[in-house]
Amino acid sequence: MAHSNGPVGPGLLIELEREAEVPLHEQVERSVRENIQAGRLAAGTRLPSSRALASELGISRGVVTEAYSQLAAEGYLITRQGAPVRVARTVRASAARPPARSMLPSFPLNFHPGLPDLAGFPRDRWLRSLRAAWRQAPIDAVGYPDPRGVPALRQALAEYLGRVRGAAAEPEQLMVCTGFTQAFSLLCRWLADRGVDRIALEDPGWHPHRLIIEQAGLEVAPVAVDADGLRIDDLLSTEASAAVVTPAHQFPCGAVLSRERRAALIEWAEEGERLIIEDDFDAEYRYDGNGLGALQGLAPDRVAYIGSASKRLTPGMRLGWALLPPWLAWSLIQAKAVEDSGSEAIGQLALHDFIERGELDRHIRRMRLRYQHRREALLEALARRLPQTRVSAGAAGLYELVELPEGSDEAALVTAAAARGVGIEGLALHRFNPTGSPGLVLGFGCLSEPAIDRGIGLVAEALQEVEDRTI
């Protein structure tokens, strides 16, 4: 039960919760601190003596003395032997602070193409791995980490990538990082420092690729994609020293890089001593049984392979991995060490346990079936509610590319859908030529089948509204 003693000095109001778990001295500290920050106790204000305040509050003098000592150490109070306690002259009242807000948009129905099923994350199994990480880890495991990542996780990842993705994975060439973004950013900055000025990028392609490249001071060379993936004939004319590809499932068009183009891309890299950067973001989620191994397995000396837990588990985990060519590995590891001394260790130890117990394989098998059902629900809803559109992505991943009728106002549709509580991404966000054919990149991973149907119905309403406005 809260107990308020009312004013105990000029502008001072202290409330105590005697049954609370928070010690009384901390409650006194907090109340006095908040009074000062709010301006109720101005700089120079004299406070009651520790004896007087203790008597007023009905607590021991030692509790008040401890609270005053802490606030003096923080710079809020001036306490001197034989002198009254006063609010420090340097203290200024804090302006009223608005509550913290997220910069990310929030939609009741979100078709974000990069979101997996957040509710499907196996929390209980992950908690078991976290407990195992704390219980089994040696003492030095929670000291400063190896900047490459926890050795046990690198070993488990190498075995997993070799078994599931056909990668030529050596633990000593693996670097654990904070998601795909950190590994790619480190790589772009290293290339810029070595005099590289241009990186080829799929067009359309994932727009953060472009942002990361440009932030590193490099030029982007857009290369068209078609039904067989990146057009190698166009790549040859770019004079780029590196190329970023999504060969297993091109984002956002859904194409698989054909066998002939894989060979031609590797030949391009080997002849010019160039680098291929493979973004393997969702390759385990194929629904046609035609999975392809990683490009890195064909040319480990020319391919920097980057993957992460974002689609496999959840983006908030912020765990990724880079499988690097031997000639590049040490330079990137040094850059990683300078940037953050290594990624946090407990999550790595938990992921190691999660992989070793077979939980990652079980989770992906379970989610693959769930995503297949959601994809089918999306295709059915589009056919029924938006028959004038056409789906062009392959049977894989967590999204579909939906081509809108020619002349559709893509930007207006995104805005109209948002007004209905539906988050969608326009194709223009991911292309270099904003005048191309309109389209949507619709993710289905984070929505149930009924929610998908409801959301597509609202998108159909939004499209009708936009079309009515243009008549």
Side-chain angles (χ1 to χ4, degrees), residues 315-334:
M317 191 175 290
R318 305 315 304 143
L319 271 174
W321 43 87
L323 185 54
L324 303 166
W327 56 269
L328 176 59
W330 182 242
S331 296
L332 264 291
I333 290 164
Q334 286 181 308

Side-chain angles (χ1 to χ4, degrees), residues 125-126 128-130 132-134 136-138 141 149-160 163 176 309 313 317 319 321 344-361:
R125 292 180 174 87
W126 183 252
R128 178 181 171 184
S129 290
L130 280 172
W134 279 112
Q136 299 170 9
V150 171
L153 175 59
R154 289 190 285 113
Q155 180 69 42
L157 280 172
E159 293 172 359
Y160 175 84
R163 171 172 54 86
V176 178
L313 288 167
M317 191 175 290
L319 271 174
W321 43 87
E344 66 91 17
I346 294 301
Q348 293 186 55
L349 291 167
L351 182 57
H352 164 252
D353 180 82
F354 201 76
I355 294 172
E356 288 293 289
R357 288 193 294 109
E359 294 292 357
L360 180 59
D361 289 284

Side-chain angles (χ1 to χ4, degrees), residues 117-454:
D117 184 1
L118 303 181
F121 177 70
R123 296 190 183 198
D124 291 342
R125 292 180 174 87
W126 183 252
L127 283 172
R128 178 181 171 184
S129 290
L130 280 172
R131 287 192 291 268
W134 279 112
R135 185 172 60 251
Q136 299 170 9
I139 294 299
D140 61 359
V142 290
Y144 285 105
D146 183 331
R148 296 173 297 178
V150 171
L153 175 59
R154 289 190 285 113
Q155 180 69 42
L157 280 172
E159 293 172 359
Y160 175 84
L161 295 173
R163 171 172 54 86
V164 175
R165 299 297 302 121
E170 295 292 338
E172 294 304 291
Q173 263 64 67
L174 260 172
M175 180 180 73
V176 178
C177 46
T178 310
F180 170 89
T181 299
Q182 185 187 43
F184 186 45
S185 179
L186 287 171
L187 184 51
C188 288
R189 281 180 273 154
W190 182 86
L191 290 169
D193 289 343
R194 297 307 182 278
V196 171
D197 57 9
R198 184 178 295 107
I199 295 182
L201 192 60
E202 297 168 328
D203 182 21
W206 191 48
H207 79 281
H209 282 160
R210 179 178 182 178
L211 299 180
I212 295 168
I213 292 170
E214 291 177 342
Q215 190 175 63
L218 297 167
E219 180 184 341
V220 175
V223 179
V225 297
D226 59 23
D228 290 323
L230 186 78
R231 291 180 57 93
I232 306 302
D233 52 346
D234 290 352
L235 174 64
L236 297 176
S237 64
T238 63
E239 299 183 359
S241 300
V244 183
V245 292
T246 51
H249 184 220
Q250 200 277 329
F251 184 93
C253 297
V256 173
L257 190 65
S258 69
R259 181 183 61 190
E260 293 77 15
R261 292 192 184 178
R262 285 180 168 229
L265 178 61
I266 291 170
E267 183 180 355
W268 168 85
E270 290 178 341
E271 286 184 350
E273 296 188 345
R274 302 179 180 96
L275 181 67
I276 301 167
I277 303 165
E278 179 176 10
D279 182 359
D280 195 44
F281 62 99
D282 68 355
E284 284 94 326
Y285 295 125
R286 293 207 66 87
Y287 315 118
D288 56 9
N290 296 324
L292 290 176
L295 186 67
Q296 187 271 350
L298 297 174
D301 288 341
R302 285 292 126 204
V303 180
Y305 170 101
I306 307 177
S308 79
S310 294
K311 311 298 183 294
R312 294 166 175 90
L313 288 167
T314 181
M317 191 175 290
R318 305 315 304 143
L319 271 174
W321 43 87
L323 185 54
L324 303 166
W327 56 269
L328 176 59
W330 182 242
S331 296
L332 264 291
I333 290 164
Q334 286 181 308
K336 166 74 172 171
V338 170
E339 178 153 305
D340 62 9
S341 298
S343 299
E344 66 91 17
I346 294 301
Q348 293 186 55
L349 291 167
L351 182 57
H352 164 252
D353 180 82
F354 201 76
I355 294 172
E356 288 293 289
R357 288 193 294 109
E359 294 292 357
L360 180 59
D361 289 284
R362 278 189 285 273
H363 175 71
I364 288 176
R365 285 197 302 269
R366 182 169 58 249
M367 299 311 296
R368 186 185 293 122
L369 182 60
R370 182 177 300 183
Y371 293 145
Q372 182 175 1
H373 292 159
R374 292 183 178 182
R375 177 177 181 268
E376 291 167 356
L378 176 64
L379 297 179
E380 192 277 332
L382 288 168
R384 182 163 43 85
R385 296 182 179 275
L386 286 167
Q388 67 273 47
T389 63
R390 189 167 71 91
V391 178
S392 62
L398 305 179
Y399 66 88
E400 292 289 334
L401 175 58
V402 180
E403 299 178 11
L404 296 170
E406 284 297 329
S408 295
D409 190 333
E410 179 188 303
L413 174 57
V414 171
T415 300
R420 290 167 167 79
V422 182
I424 56 176
E425 279 191 7
L427 179 57
L429 177 65
H430 303 289
R431 67 166 74 220
F432 285 81
N433 182 4
T435 62
S437 298
L440 302 176
V441 188
L442 298 181
F444 51 80
C446 203
L447 294 171
S448 66
E449 285 90 336
I452 288 171
D453 185 68
R454 186 163 63 253

